[in-house]
Amino acid sequence: MLFNRFSLYQKIVASLFVIFSAVIMMIVSWSQQLEQVSQQQAQQKLHLQLATHLVQDNPLLQQGVYDYDALKNLFHTLMLLGPAFEFYFVDPHGEILTYSAPKGKVKRKKINLAPLLSLIEQNNKLPIYGQDPRNIDKTKIFSVAPVYNHENPKDKTQKNLQGYLYVIIGGEAYDTIFNRIKASEILSVTAMWFVAGFIFLLLFLLALFRYFTQPMQQLVQQLTAIESARFDLTNITLPQWPSNTRNEVHQLGNSINNMVLRIDSQFKQLKQNDSQRRELLTHLSHDLRTPLASLQGYLELLTHAKVTDTPEQKADYLAISLNNTKQLKGLIDQIFELAHLESGHVEVNNERFNLGELIYDCLAKFTLKATQLGVTFNVEPKICDFMISSDIAKLERILSNLIDNALRHTPSGGNITIKVSNQEHAINLQICDTGTGINADEINYIFDARYRASNAKGCKKTHGGLGLAICKQLLKLLHSDIEVRSQLGTGTQFEIVLRKNSA
């Protein structure tokens, strides 16, 4: 539709013009009607006794009507003296017997007597309209008086109703002259006031609506610019909308700003995540290729074994292949575990258990490896039978990853200590080692997938580099935090805060 092509401001202006024009026409029409009714009421009240005085003062009517021709001449004479009046004599049944109008002008032969009787009996409800003998459809204000026929002129009490003197106030001749003058004056005055009032009010309302709709236009321009820039806020400055206001447009503007900033932040986060995933895939493909290539090489040696190859050499080939297979499986398991955690579909199964027992069970898995590396395990205090409610499987995975990480970075002769501190609503768990430590600038990045700190570069111990990233995701599920304190050449301390009753 054509109307839909207009802006909100243009639609308001068009609607305002139509509504205002209709209201003005209604007001003008109502004021004219009110003026006409008031004028007719005043005229009828002013000439209310006109017919009565004519009956009382005129001999032709005083004793009753006997000569209708003389009465007609009297009506003509009165009409010449007062062109604003028309005179009619009607019988008790409403039949028009004689009148002052020229021949052929009177359209009615009979009029309704109810308005006449109403004016005679209750003359306080003005104006009262009677039928116009000259027009079938119109009514007019009038004055009326009964005319009696005295059978005995000497006895005034004996009288019979002969008819009514019916005087139209503002007759046809008067209406024609008056309407011409009135139309000319009212037309010019009404037109002048209408135009002046319309222009003033229209300009005022246009300015008012412009003030109200300007924020909407600014909002549309802002959204258009953002859409054109594909929600990239690099080269766009968001307008500052007033805060703590009840203006709905300002509230909408602030909401849109917050929404756009959130979308921009999410876009940047998606780009960063995409970049990290690409980098992760690059590293993982390299880490997967290395054990696969080694595995393939040694399997080919076994397949094309020479006669001179001793059983010990073949056993070494198998041992190396098996080690590469374990390394490959561990890396693949970590990849799937991390992807599963990041998917957000992991359930948490809380149960009450003894934290001390879990700690000793985790250390038992690494005792043989620690003995081979010359690393000593310690628990402080030795007896830490603290009951907590959490997911035992996920917490066991976290502790295992942190202990394994500490073993990789602790040299022979070092030690790894697990400290447990019982608080009112939580338990602090610290995994401390006397290893190589981490550079302070790198602590914030060690939980990123595939990030390798400078102290781990050149390390010949095989690992996937995803253990700490998995720990971070698991702790997030358990609503727990982890903090790292480290010093190069001294060691590293991981501190976990475990709630006694996880929600």
Side-chain angles (χ1 to χ4, degrees):
M1 294 178 62
L2 180 63
F3 194 66
N4 292 332
R5 298 180 181 178
F6 297 149
S7 66
L8 176 63
Y9 178 70
Q10 291 171 336
K11 291 178 182 178
I12 292 177
V13 170
S15 302
L16 176 65
F17 181 82
V18 173
I19 294 173
F20 187 72
S21 300
V23 170
I24 288 297
M25 287 189 289
M26 290 174 60
I27 292 175
V28 170
S29 176
W30 175 78
S31 62
Q32 289 180 347
Q33 292 179 1
L34 180 62
E35 179 187 4
Q36 185 178 8
V37 170
S38 300
Q39 184 180 13
Q40 290 176 348
Q41 182 181 12
Q43 287 184 354
Q44 190 173 38
K45 190 172 185 179
L46 180 64
H47 300 93
L48 190 63
Q49 301 298 322
L50 174 63
T52 302
H53 291 315
L54 288 174
V55 171
Q56 293 175 354
D57 297 341
N58 197 286
L60 287 174
L61 299 172
Q62 196 173 43
Q63 301 298 327
V65 178
Y66 301 98
D67 188 352
Y68 290 104
D69 291 334
L71 182 61
K72 186 174 184 178
N73 291 330
L74 174 63
F75 285 169
H76 279 293
T77 304
L78 292 174
M79 189 173 178
L80 291 174
L81 295 175
F85 305 101
E86 295 176 1
F87 302 90
Y88 300 89
F89 184 75
V90 298
D91 66 8
H93 303 290
E95 295 285 345
I96 299 176
L97 301 179
T98 186
Y99 46 83
S100 62
K103 188 175 181 179
K105 289 289 187 178
V106 177
K107 307 296 183 182
R108 295 177 181 270
K109 294 182 180 181
K110 184 178 181 178
I111 63 172
N112 184 11
L113 294 179
L116 281 66
L117 298 176
S118 177
L119 184 64
I120 293 172
E121 296 173 1
Q122 300 176 358
N123 55 14
N124 57 337
K125 297 180 180 180
L126 304 181
I128 297 176
Y129 298 94
Q131 291 180 332
D132 184 4
R134 292 197 181 196
N135 196 303
I136 299 297
D137 301 322
K138 287 187 177 180
T139 57
K140 296 228 175 153
I141 57 175
F142 62 93
S143 177
V144 65
V147 177
Y148 296 97
N149 181 6
H150 298 274
E151 296 179 354
N152 185 2
K154 296 182 180 180
D155 187 1
K156 300 295 184 180
T157 61
Q158 297 181 359
K159 56 183 181 180
N160 297 319
L161 180 65
Q162 188 178 7
Y164 298 94
L165 177 61
Y166 184 49
V167 182
I168 295 294
I169 301 173
E172 186 178 40
Y174 174 82
D175 284 347
T176 303
I177 298 172
F178 177 76
N179 286 340
R180 288 178 182 176
I181 299 173
K182 182 179 179 182
S184 177
E185 292 180 355
I186 290 181
L187 182 63
S188 59
V189 173
T190 302
M192 180 182 66
W193 281 106
F194 176 79
V195 172
F198 180 81
I199 292 176
F200 173 77
L201 187 57
L202 184 62
L203 291 176
F204 174 76
L205 292 177
L206 289 180
L208 188 64
F209 287 141
R210 183 72 177 178
Y211 172 76
F212 287 150
T213 58
Q214 189 174 8
M216 289 292 294
Q217 294 178 347
Q218 185 180 359
L219 194 60
V220 171
Q221 294 173 357
Q222 174 187 345
L223 290 175
T224 303
I226 293 173
E227 185 178 5
S228 300
R230 297 180 180 273
F231 291 89
D232 185 4
L233 302 183
T234 305
N235 299 320
I236 296 179
T237 302
L238 296 178
Q240 297 298 319
W241 298 92
S243 58
N244 299 326
T245 176
R246 299 183 64 180
N247 189 310
E248 291 84 356
V249 179
H250 294 166
Q251 294 176 357
L252 180 61
N254 284 319
S255 298
I256 289 177
N257 281 354
N258 294 334
M259 179 185 68
V260 171
L261 289 174
R262 184 173 181 84
I263 291 175
D264 182 65
S265 175
Q266 290 178 342
F267 275 169
K268 290 179 180 178
Q269 185 65 38
L270 286 174
K271 290 180 180 179
Q272 183 180 0
N273 290 344
D274 184 64
S275 177
Q276 291 177 351
R277 290 181 186 279
R278 291 176 183 273
E279 183 180 357
L280 178 61
L281 287 174
T282 302
H283 289 300
L284 290 177
S285 62
H286 177 269
D287 289 344
L288 288 171
R289 191 182 299 114
T290 300
L292 279 174
S294 178
L295 179 61
Q296 181 182 2
Y298 282 102
L299 289 176
E300 288 177 354
L301 287 175
L302 285 172
T303 304
H304 302 90
K306 299 178 182 179
V307 180
T308 56
D309 291 340
T310 63
E312 289 79 7
Q313 289 177 321
K314 293 180 181 180
D316 289 338
Y317 297 159
L318 286 173
I320 295 173
S321 298
L322 181 60
N323 184 51
N324 287 327
T325 303
K326 291 180 179 180
Q327 180 182 351
L328 186 62
K329 181 181 180 300
L331 181 58
I332 293 174
D333 289 342
Q334 286 186 330
I335 294 172
F336 278 108
E337 183 178 8
L338 184 60
H340 182 58
L341 291 172
E342 290 181 345
S343 68
H345 300 294
V346 181
E347 294 184 357
V348 177
N349 301 312
N350 291 328
E351 58 181 299
R352 289 190 64 79
F353 59 91
N354 190 304
L355 180 61
E357 293 181 0
L358 177 63
I359 293 173
Y360 281 105
D361 288 342
C362 291
L363 291 177
K365 292 191 301 183
F366 296 95
T367 301
L368 180 58
K369 184 177 180 181
T371 303
Q372 293 174 349
L373 295 174
V375 177
T376 305
F377 286 148
N378 297 307
V379 178
E380 296 180 2
K382 294 290 184 180
I383 299 175
C384 49
D385 295 333
F386 304 121
M387 299 299 295
I388 65 171
S389 177
S390 185
D391 191 315
I392 187 171
K394 292 178 175 56
L395 188 54
E396 186 271 338
R397 185 76 173 111
I398 294 169
L399 289 175
S400 297
N401 283 355
L402 292 176
I403 294 171
D404 183 55
N405 180 74
L407 279 173
R408 285 199 307 271
H409 298 92
T410 303
S412 178
N415 60 78
I416 297 174
T417 304
I418 298 180
K419 299 179 180 180
V420 185
S421 175
N422 186 19
Q423 307 294 330
E424 183 177 359
H425 299 292
I427 293 178
N428 287 359
L429 188 62
Q430 299 177 0
I431 296 89
C432 308
D433 64 62
T434 57
T436 56
I438 306 171
N439 193 314
D441 297 334
E442 298 177 306
I443 289 179
N444 293 330
Y445 304 100
I446 62 174
F447 292 103
D448 295 340
R450 292 302 301 159
Y451 181 82
R452 299 192 69 187
S454 58
N455 65 332
K457 295 176 181 178
C459 178
K460 296 181 180 180
K461 299 175 182 178
T462 58
H463 59 94
L466 302 177
L468 292 181
I470 292 173
C471 287
K472 186 72 172 179
Q473 294 293 332
L474 290 172
L475 286 168
K476 187 183 296 185
L477 291 173
L478 299 180
H479 304 288
S480 299
D481 298 323
I482 184 169
E483 293 183 359
V484 183
R485 289 183 287 273
S486 183
Q487 186 175 357
L488 286 175
T490 302
T492 303
Q493 174 182 307
F494 289 88
E495 182 176 354
I496 303 172
V497 178
L498 298 174
R499 298 180 182 177
K500 291 184 177 180
N501 296 294
S502 299

